[in-house]
Amino acid sequence: MSVSVVLFTSDLRLHDHPPLRAALAAADEVVPLFVRDRAVEAAGFATPNRTAFLADCLADLDASLRERGGRLVVRSGDLVAQVCGVAAEADADEVHLAAAHSAFATRREDLLRRALAADGRRLLVHDAVTVAVPPGEVTPAGSDHFAVFTPYHRRWAQAGLRAPLAAPRRVPVPDGVRGERLPAREDVTGVSPALPAGGESEGRKRVSAYWRTGLDAYDDTRDDLAADATSRLSAHLHFGTLPPVELVQRARRHGGPGAEALVRQLAWRDFHRQVLAARPAVARADYRTKGDRWRTGRAARADVEAWREGRTGYPVIDAAMRQLRHEGWMHNRARLLTASFLAKTLYVDWRIGAEHFLYWLVDGDIANNQLNWQWVAGTGTDTRPNRVLNPIAQARRYDPDGGYVRRWVPELAGLADRFVHEPWKLPGAERAALDYPEPVIDLAEGVDRFRRGRDRGK
């Protein structure tokens, strides 16, 4: 009996899974394997929210495999050593893996390829599993990647997509390959109270429900903070419980402005991955440095702490930061506002904010998180790097009735609409009785400080 190993990483599903289908086609039996890589934990990426969501994903994947006569094998330790050990135990000829795009993932892939080759085995890497259009498939003349989204999107939209693959009916797994107990969400401490459930089954339910009730209005409502009308598919895309190729094709078949807007967001996701694949250093370094002299010292640290705790005195910023801690997720418009406030109004290094987001966000990944932070900070791919988002103007536009602020900043829930975004304008006695801080900075002063600081860096 011939055997292949399928190494699951950020592709925790059975639907539209090219590595699994290729392994089933090449061998009589397969070993579905997930390795809890100690290097990921050592690097700080195994945060409570993502660890809990991952546990849900693995349990759901195992259940789906068992329905098909198989099971998920889970190991912990050094990924290369564990994969090679499983391949030897099963006497597998091949290991199948979805392509990844960070420096960490590509380095790990190279180490695995060489270790397997030393044992006379092959590593087969499959593209278009965690993205719709793989990095490098569309490139501009004279460069290895697009640095501006709009021309990238035009080419991306014209790229051919492979046909989505059905989930296999049977997954025969050989006996004798040992595995560990599956991790469980209840074993994880420090999880956000309202963290959603993970797993392919949950992801597909979410897609079906959203296609029926939310997709058509997506273009009109996705920036409405109080409406909470975004797709909330980001965590499932991050863990690969939903396939990007299938989502793009389903949305295109559905049609309409809402579906087109959702496809554009999926293109943004691929855009950031092609930037990261071409310039791995942007995970920590400026893509386009502005020579910023970011604030440091006691006052800056106090401002950062107020931002983290949702106590800046600007209600829409505080609402977003509290939502982040409670749900392990934040509304897309709120992410832009809170990032602009930290990097430009407070003039604090974007890396500090990116690290905080990566800790709490269940959908946090290097490509989207770091490059969106750089876009907002003006060190990334934004063609208007010095724009500053005004949190009051943005709140009036995207939370006009204050519903979002009232939900997450309950101490302001009883305020009239004209005060809910600017509580400092309350009459003196009412303001004094309100348990809510004064603004940490005057907006005009913050903008002036940012522009002076950036000008010095030229």
Side-chain angles (χ1 to χ4, degrees), residues 311-318 341 345 390-396 405 409 411-412 415-444:
R311 300 283 295 173
T312 67
Y314 287 96
V316 73
I317 302 300
D318 295 340
F341 190 81
T345 305
N390 182 307
I392 300 173
Q394 291 275 310
R396 288 172 179 161
V405 164
V409 189
E411 57 266 45
L412 305 181
L415 297 188
D417 289 356
R418 68 182 185 277
F419 295 124
V420 72
H421 294 305
E422 299 174 280
W424 54 87
K425 291 186 176 181
L426 282 165
E430 293 180 49
R431 179 67 189 93
L434 192 65
D435 181 21
Y436 187 70
E438 292 294 320
V440 294
I441 182 69
D442 176 79
L443 294 180

Side-chain angles (χ1 to χ4, degrees), residues 325-340:
R325 288 193 177 225
H326 188 74
E327 295 189 348
W329 183 87
M330 187 192 290
H331 190 283
N332 65 290
R333 173 58 54 174
R335 297 188 197 204
L336 295 176
L337 299 183
T338 52
S340 177

